[in-house]
C-alpha cells in the first residue's frame, strides 16, 4: 500500500463530509463512521469472523488487523475506490473492504474469506459466522426511527417500526430477519441489506437492548470455500420512499429488471377467482358436489369476469407433517383431472404448492425418479429434471401461475438449507428455470426477506404476498409498508383474496366483511392480483367493475401504492398509526409522460397536513388540481404553497381517496382530465391509452370493450364537463377535450 495514496484518500473523505449529505470516515484501526448531513449516524462495531470453532473479534484483539490499504475497481454498480482491511483469524486471512462509488448515495461492504473457513458455525442458526459491517445501536445528535422487516410475507408479519437508539430492543434478525431502514424526522434515510448471497446472508442483533447490529453469513454454515465473498449495501436518500426507490434501482442494476415478466403476467392484468385461506370455497364445496362441479358451476357464471382460477392446497396429495406428497389432482376433488377441466372450461389456472413431505413419492428414497434431500422433517428436490417434469405436465392444465407457498417452512424444515452455502439458491433457481421453460410465472407466498431478495435473480417471480392470509373483516389489507419492499425488488405485492359482499351464508369462518370496498380498492392499488373469493351468487359485480372492464381487464395505477414517508415518521416518533399511501398513473401526451397522483388515507387522527413536497408523484414544472373521489366537483387547483389536510375521520368504511390531475393546455384552453370516474383509478392507462395533441384538437384515446359506453370527466376552463363514447367492438375510441364529442 502506498502512503501517498492513503493521504489522497483521507482528503477525499473530508471533502465528502463537507459536501455530501452521506459520507464515510474511516481510521487505521478498522473503524468506520457513517455521517448524514455532517452528523454521525452509525459508528462501527468490532469486525468478527468465526473459524476452527472460535470467535475472532477485533473487539478483544483476537482478530488481528495487519494491513490497511485502498484500491480502485469497477463492478456493476460503477467505479469505486476502497478502504481495505486485512485481518488474521488464527491462521486464516480474512479480508474486508468498503467500496465508495462515484454515486455518493451508497456504500458497499465486502467480506472475503481469503483462506476459506472450517469450523465456522455459530451457536445457533439465527446468529452469524462473520460480522461486517457492524454498527452500534445508540442515540446520536439526531433523533432517529427505524423499520425492521422480519417474519414471512416479505417480512411483513413481524416487521417493527420504532425509535432508534440505546433503548432499541427489537430488530428483526436471524433466519427471518430482513432489511433495516433508519430515518430521521426530515426523512433522511439509510437502508441496509445484503447485496449478494441472499439465501445465506443474515443480520444479527447481539444484545437484548442496544448493542450492535451486524451483517454476515448465517450461523449454521460450518465450512466456507476460499475467497468466498459476501456484500452488504448501505443506501442513503433524503426521503424514505426515495431511499427504497434508489436502493431498488441499485439492486436492479446488479440483477436486471423484470418489467417484461411483469408485463406478461396475466394474473397481474386480469381478474381471477381465488380459493385460498379466507375464501368461501377454501376446503369447502357446494353441498353434495365435488370441487370439480363446484368450480365449473362458478366458471359458467363468471366467465366474463375471471380469467383464471386459483386452486389452493385442497386439491393435491399430502403426506407426513402435512407436506405435499404428490402434486396431482386427487380423484375425489377433480375426478376427471385438470386436462379435462381445462378442455371444458378453457379457464387458466394458478396452482398452489407447499413444502415437500418426507414421504413424497417423487424422491428416489421413496421409490421415485428424482434426487431429493430427505431429512427427518421434510424433503427438498435437488434435481433440475424434477422441476422441468413437474411443470411440463401443467401445459395441458392451462397453468399460468405457480404459487410457491410455505417458503419459510420449507426453509426451516430442511437443515441442509440452513447449513449449505449454495443449496437455497439452487432450489429456487431450479424452480425458476423450469417455470421459464414452461412459460409460467411464480408467486412467492410466506417468503422470508431472504427469499424475496433472491427473487431479484429469478425472472419468473413476478409477485409475492405482502401480508398474512385474508380473513374476512381482518387487517391484512395493510400492505403499504411491505409494498415498498416489493416494489423496490421489482415485483408486485399481493394483498390476497377478499370478499366483495359482506355476508356469505354458511361460511366456514363464521365471519363477515364490512370493508369490501377498502379491500377491493387496496387490491386495485397494489397492482398485484385482483382475486375475489365469494360464494356463488354473492358477488358484487358493481364493486368488481370499479376495477375491471370486460374479460376482467384491470384498471390499475402504474406502480403499487406505498406508505408515504409521513406514515413512518408518525409511527416511529409519535407512536401514531395511520395509513397514508400514494401511487400514480402515467399517461403519454404525445411524447411527454404525465402523472396522475392518488392518495389513500385510512385511520387518520389529528390533522395530518401533506406538503406539496410530500407528493412525490407531482412532476416539477407541471400544475395540478386535486379532487376528492367521492365528489369530483370538489376539484381545485393545488398550488405549491398549499397543503392537503387529511380529515381526521378517514376510516375503513369511509376512507379518503384523492386524485391529482395534471394541467394540459391547448391554445388558450386549460384542461384537467379526471378520467373515467366509474373506476377507482379514473386515469388508469388501462383506460386512457394515449393523449394526442393536434393543432385543432386534444384527443383522449380510450380503450374499451364491445358495447361499453365510456364516460370521461374533465374540466375545461374551470367548468366540469363530461363526454361519452360508445365502443362498438373491443378496441379504441377517441373523445375530444374541446368539444366532448366522440371522434370516430
Ligand atoms: C469507470 O471509469 C472509467 C475511467 O475513468 C470510465 O471510462 C468508465 O466509463 C467508468 N465506468 C463506469 C461504469 O462508470
Ligand atoms: C475441517 O476441519 C476438520 C476437523 O479439524 C478436518 O477434519 C477437515 O479436514 C477440515 N476440512 C477442510 C476443508 O479443511
Ligand atoms: C448509549 O450507549 C453508549 C454505549 O453504547 C454510551 O456511550 C452512551 O452514553 C449512551 N447514551 C445514552 C444517552 O444513554
Ligand atoms: C477475495 O480476496 C482474494 C485475495 O485478496 C482475491 O484474490 C479475490 O479476488 C477476492 N474475491 C472477490 C470475489 O473479491
Ligand atoms: C358449463 O358450461 C359448459 C358449456 O356451456 C357446459 O358444457 C357445462 O355442462 C356447464 N357446466 C356446469 C357445471 O354447469
Ligand atoms: C383435451 O383436449 C386435447 C385437444 O383436443 C386432447 O388432446 C386431450 O386429450 C384432452 N384432454 C383431456 C384430459 O380430455
Ligand atoms: C451443498 O449442496 C450442494 C447441492 O446439493 C452440494 O453439491 C454440496 O456438496 C453441499 N455443500 C456442502 C458443504 O455440504
Ligand atoms: C415437455 O415434455 C414434452 C414431451 O415429453 C417435450 O416434447 C417438451 O420438449 C417438454 N417441454 C419442455 C419445456 O421441457
Amino acid at each position: 500500500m502506498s502512503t501517498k495514496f492513503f493521504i489522497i484518500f483521507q482528503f477525499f473523505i473530508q471533502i465528502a463530509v463537507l459536501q455530501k449529505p452521506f459520507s464515510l470516515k474511516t481510521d487505521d484501526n478498522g473503524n468506520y463512521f457513517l455521517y448524514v448531513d455532517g452528523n454521525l449516524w452509525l459508528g462501527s462495531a468490532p469486525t468478527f469472523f468465526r473459524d476452527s470453532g472460535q470467535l475472532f473479534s477485533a473487539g478483544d484483539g483476537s482478530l488481528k488487523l495487519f494491513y490497511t490499504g485502498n484500491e480502485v475497481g469497477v463492478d456493476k454498480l460503477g467505479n469505486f475506490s476502497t478502504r481495505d482491511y486485512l485481518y488474521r483469524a488464527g491462521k486464516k486471512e480474512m479480508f474486508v473492504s468498503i467500496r465508495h462509488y462515484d454515486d455518493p448515495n451508497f456504500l458497499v461492504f465486502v467480506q472475503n474469506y481469503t483462506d476459506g473457513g472450517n469450523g465456522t458455525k455459530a451457536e445457533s442458526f439465527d446468529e452469524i459466522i462473520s460480522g461486517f459491517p457492524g454498527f452500534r445501536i445508540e442515540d446520536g445528535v439526531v433523533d432517529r426511527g427505524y423499520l425492521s422487516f422480519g417474519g414471512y410475507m416479505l417480512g411483513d408479519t413481524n416487521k417493527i417500526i420504532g425509535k432508534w437508539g440505546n433503548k432499541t430492543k427489537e430488530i428483526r434478525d436471524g433466519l427471518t430477519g430482513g432489511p433495516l431502514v433508519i430515518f430521521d424526522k426530515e426523512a433522511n434515510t439509510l437502508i441496509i441489506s445484503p447485496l449478494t448471497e441472499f439465501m445465506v446472508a443474515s443480520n444479527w442483533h447481539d444484545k437484548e437492548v442496544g448493542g450492535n447490529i451486524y451483517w454476515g453469513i448465517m450461523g449454521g454454515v460450518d465450512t466456507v470455500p476460499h475467497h468466498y465473498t459476501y456484500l452488504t449495501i448501505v443506501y442513503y436518500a433524503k426521503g424514505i420512499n426515495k431511499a427504497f426507490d434508489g436502493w431498488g434501482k441499485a439492486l436492479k442494476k446488479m440483477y436486471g429488471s423484470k418489467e417484461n415478466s411483469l408485463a406478461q403476467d396475466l394474473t397481474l392484468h386480469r381478474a381471477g377467482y381465488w380459493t385460498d385461506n379466507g375464501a368461501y370455497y377454501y376446503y369447502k364445496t357446494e353441498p353434495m358436489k365435488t370441487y370439480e362441479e363446484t368450480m365449473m358451476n362458478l366458471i359458467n357464471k363468471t366467465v366474463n369476469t375471471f380469467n383464471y382460477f386459483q386452486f389452493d392446497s385442497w386439491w393435491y396429495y399430502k403426506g407426513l407433517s402435512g407436506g405435499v406428497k404428490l402434486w396431482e389432482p386427487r380423484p375425489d376433488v377433480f375426478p376427471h383431472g385438470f386436462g379435462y377441466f381445462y378442455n371444458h372450461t378453457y379457464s387458466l389456472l394458478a396452482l398452489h404448492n407447499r413444502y415437500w413431505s418426507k414421504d413424497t413419492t417423487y424422491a428416489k428414497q421413496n421409490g421415485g425418479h428424482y434426487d431429493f434431500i430427505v431429512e427427518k422433517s421434510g424433503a427438498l428436490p435437488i434435481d433440475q429434471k424434477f422441476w422441468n417434469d413437474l411443470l411440463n405436465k401443467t401445459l395441458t392444465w392451462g397453468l399460468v401461475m405457480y404459487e410457491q407457498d410455505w417458503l419459510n417452512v420449507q426453509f426451516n424444515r430442511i437443515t441442509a438449507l440452513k447449513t449449505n452455502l449454495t443449496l437455497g439458491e439452487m432450489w429456487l433457481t431450479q424452480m425458476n428455470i423450469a417455470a421459464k421453460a414452461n412459460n409460467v410465472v411464480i408467486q412467492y407466498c410466506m417468503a422470508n426477506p431472504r427469499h424475496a431478495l433472491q427473487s431479484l435473480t429469478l425472472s419468473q417471480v413476478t409477485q409475492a404476498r405482502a401480508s398474512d392470509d385474508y380473513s374476512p373483516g381482518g387487517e391484512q389489507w395493510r400492505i403499504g409498508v411491505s409494498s415498498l419492499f416489493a416494489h423496490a425488488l421489482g415485483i408486485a405485492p399481493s394483498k390476497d383474496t377478499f370478499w366483495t359482499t359482506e355476508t356469505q351464508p354458511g361460511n366456514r369462518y363464521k365471519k363477515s366483511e364490512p370493508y369490501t370496498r377498502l379491500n377491493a380498492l387496496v387490491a386495485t392499488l397494489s397492482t398485484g392480483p385482483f382475486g375475489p373469493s365469494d360464494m356463488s351468487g354473492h358477488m358484487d359485480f358493481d364493486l368488481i367493475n370499479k376495477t375491471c372492464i370486460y374479460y376482467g381487464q384491470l384498471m390499475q395505477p402504474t406502480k403499487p401504492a406505498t406508505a408515504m414517508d409521513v406514515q413512518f415518521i408518525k409511527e416511529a416518533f409519535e407512536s401514531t398509526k395511520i395509513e397514508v399511501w400514494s401511487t400514480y398513473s402515467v399517461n403519454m401526451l404525445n411524447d411527454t409522460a404525465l402523472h396522475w397522483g392518488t392518495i389513500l388515507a385510512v385511520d387518520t387522527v389529528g390533522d395530518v397536513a401533506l406538503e406539496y413536497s410530500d407528493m412525490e408523484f407531482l412532476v416539477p414544472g407541471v400544475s395540478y388540481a386535486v379532487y376528492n373521489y367521492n365528489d369530483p366537483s370538489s376539484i381545485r387547483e393545488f398550488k405549491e404553497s398549499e397543503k392537503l389536510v387529511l380529515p381526521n375521520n378517514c376510516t375503513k368504511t369511509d376512507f379518503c381517496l384523492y386524485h391529482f390531475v395534471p394541467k394540459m393546455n391547448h391554445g388558450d384552453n386549460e384542461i384537467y382530465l379526471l378520467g373515467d370516474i366509474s373506476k377507482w383509478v379514473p386515469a388508469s392507462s388501462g383506460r386512457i391509452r394515449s393523449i394526442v395533441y393536434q393543432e385543432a384538437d386534444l384527443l383522449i384515446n380510450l380503450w374499451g370493450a364491445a358495447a361499453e359506453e365510456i364516460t370521461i370527466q374533465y374540466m375545461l376552463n374551470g367548468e366540469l364537463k363530461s363526454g361519452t363514447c360508445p365502443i362498438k367492438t373491443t378496441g379504441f375510441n377517441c373523445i375530444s377535450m374541446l368539444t366532448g364529442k366522440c371522434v370516430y
Side-chain angles (χ1 to χ4, degrees), residues 75-122:
D75 64 17
K76 282 191 175 161
L77 299 180
N79 288 316
F80 59 79
S81 45
T82 66
R83 186 74 167 117
D84 299 335
Y85 300 98
L86 201 53
Y87 286 102
R88 198 159 273 150
K91 291 182 194 150
K92 302 276 176 64
E93 256 178 42
M94 306 290 181
F95 171 82
V96 304
S97 173
I98 306 172
R99 295 178 184 171
H100 50 98
Y101 295 78
D102 294 345
D103 181 341
N105 294 318
F106 61 92
L107 297 167
V108 168
F109 291 78
V110 182
Q111 297 182 11
N112 181 336
Y113 274 86
T114 319
D115 291 333
N118 188 16
T120 53
K121 76 168 187 276

Side-chain angles (χ1 to χ4, degrees), residues 68-324:
T68 61
N70 31 68
E71 264 187 286
V72 293
V74 62
D75 64 17
K76 282 191 175 161
L77 299 180
N79 288 316
F80 59 79
S81 45
T82 66
R83 186 74 167 117
D84 299 335
Y85 300 98
L86 201 53
Y87 286 102
R88 198 159 273 150
K91 291 182 194 150
K92 302 276 176 64
E93 256 178 42
M94 306 290 181
F95 171 82
V96 304
S97 173
I98 306 172
R99 295 178 184 171
H100 50 98
Y101 295 78
D102 294 345
D103 181 341
N105 294 318
F106 61 92
L107 297 167
V108 168
F109 291 78
V110 182
Q111 297 182 11
N112 181 336
Y113 274 86
T114 319
D115 291 333
N118 188 16
T120 53
K121 76 168 187 276
E123 277 82 48
S124 83
F125 291 130
D126 283 317
E127 290 183 34
I128 50 181
I129 66 167
S130 52
F132 178 83
F135 300 108
R136 298 195 298 274
I137 303 165
E138 57 188 20
D139 302 349
V141 187
V142 179
D143 278 353
R144 283 156 297 155
Y146 73 99
L147 155 66
S148 167
F149 287 102
Y152 53 97
M153 303 303 188
L154 290 181
D156 180 72
T157 56
N158 215 11
K159 70 176 183 305
I160 186 149
I161 294 176
K163 274 194 177 163
W164 179 262
N166 284 26
K167 297 204 185 90
T168 298
K169 278 191 198 154
E170 293 165 304
I171 296 179
R172 303 312 183 198
D173 68 350
L175 295 178
T176 62
L180 175 67
V181 185
I182 306 171
F183 50 87
D184 68 11
K185 287 174 188 153
E186 267 76 62
N188 284 296
T189 304
L190 293 178
I191 300 182
I192 313 174
S193 83
L195 181 62
T196 65
E197 318 308 320
F198 301 115
M199 288 302 287
V200 297
S202 290
N203 58 342
W204 178 54
H205 182 195
D206 67 353
K207 292 219 173 61
E208 284 290 305
V209 182
N212 304 307
I213 180 82
Y214 283 102
W215 279 260
I217 299 299
M218 65 187 179
V221 172
D222 203 40
T223 55
V224 181
H226 284 242
H227 295 178
Y228 185 81
T229 303
Y230 158 68
L231 273 52
T232 305
I233 184 168
V234 180
Y235 195 95
Y236 165 81
K238 177 147 189 174
I240 299 170
N241 275 261
K242 282 206 179 78
F244 272 92
D245 194 50
W247 171 66
K249 281 196 176 116
L251 294 171
K252 284 169 218 151
K253 213 164 163 183
M254 287 283 286
Y255 299 104
S257 149
K258 290 198 283 191
E259 273 170 33
N260 287 341
S261 299
L262 268 71
Q264 284 162 22
D265 180 351
L266 172 131
T267 70
L268 299 180
H269 306 285
R270 302 272 173 162
Y273 181 86
W274 285 62
T275 65
D276 60 335
N277 190 10
Y280 188 82
Y281 295 114
Y282 178 62
Y283 289 91
K284 181 183 173 72
T285 60
E286 291 290 343
M288 316 297 285
K289 292 209 163 71
T290 62
Y291 254 115
E292 185 176 280
E293 292 161 332
T294 304
M295 290 296 122
M296 277 207 184
N297 274 336
L298 201 72
I299 287 172
N300 279 12
K301 289 185 191 163
T302 60
V303 66
N304 290 347
T305 305
F306 300 122
N307 280 239
Y308 71 96
F309 278 65
Q310 185 271 0
F311 292 160
D312 212 68
S313 57
W314 40 260
W315 61 268
Y316 49 71
Y317 294 85
K318 294 191 193 91
L320 293 171
S321 312
V324 56

Side-chain angles (χ1 to χ4, degrees), residues 388-389 391-393 395 434 436-439:
N388 295 352
D389 292 353
L391 293 180
N392 187 327
K393 76 177 171 217
L395 287 175
K436 189 166 177 153
N438 292 290
N439 200 21

Side-chain angles (χ1 to χ4, degrees), residues 336-344 396:
H336 301 91
F338 284 148
Y340 170 93
F341 188 82
Y342 179 68
N343 283 2
H344 284 76
T396 57

Side-chain angles (χ1 to χ4, degrees), residues 392-529:
N392 187 327
K393 76 177 171 217
T394 65
L395 287 175
T396 57
W397 296 357
L399 182 74
V400 288
M401 186 248 271
Y402 173 79
E403 180 189 346
Q404 184 61 63
D405 196 0
W406 298 88
L407 282 158
N408 62 334
V409 171
Q410 175 76 75
F411 187 77
N412 201 37
R413 275 173 185 252
I414 305 296
T415 304
L417 282 170
K418 295 185 281 186
T419 55
N420 184 310
L421 279 173
T422 55
L423 189 60
E425 182 174 345
M426 186 178 104
W427 158 47
L428 299 178
T429 303
Q430 288 183 344
M431 185 194 303
N432 188 72
I433 288 171
K436 189 166 177 153
N438 292 290
N439 200 21
V440 299
V441 295
I442 300 173
Q443 181 187 88
Y444 275 3
C445 192
M446 298 173 80
N448 296 129
R450 65 187 62 247
H451 304 101
L453 287 162
Q454 187 65 50
S455 77
L456 283 159
T457 71
L458 305 169
S459 61
Q460 304 310 105
V461 182
T462 52
Q463 48 180 295
R465 273 277 298 287
S467 63
D468 219 330
D469 288 359
Y470 175 65
S471 173
E475 298 293 309
Q476 70 77 235
W477 57 271
R478 296 180 194 269
I479 60 166
V481 175
S482 50
S483 291
L484 254 180
F485 186 15
H487 185 53
L489 300 175
I491 56 181
S494 168
K495 86 149 280 297
D496 201 8
T497 186
F498 57 96
W499 293 358
T500 65
T501 58
E502 180 163 353
T503 314
Q504 313 261 334
N507 76 76
R508 49 177 308 198
Y509 317 100
K510 302 190 168 51
K511 286 187 174 158
S512 61
E513 177 54 274
Y515 315 117
T516 52
R517 291 172 72 252
L518 180 60
N519 274 277
L521 174 61
V522 168
T524 309
L525 297 183
S526 74
T527 72

Side-chain angles (χ1 to χ4, degrees), residues 53-69:
Q54 288 181 55
L55 174 73
F56 296 91
S57 168
D60 61 12
S62 53
L63 185 72
K64 293 189 169 37
L65 178 64
F66 71 96
Y67 175 92
T68 61

Side-chain angles (χ1 to χ4, degrees), residues 570 605-609 645-648:
K570 287 252 170 214
V605 284
D607 285 328
V608 179
V645 180
L646 301 173
N648 61 12

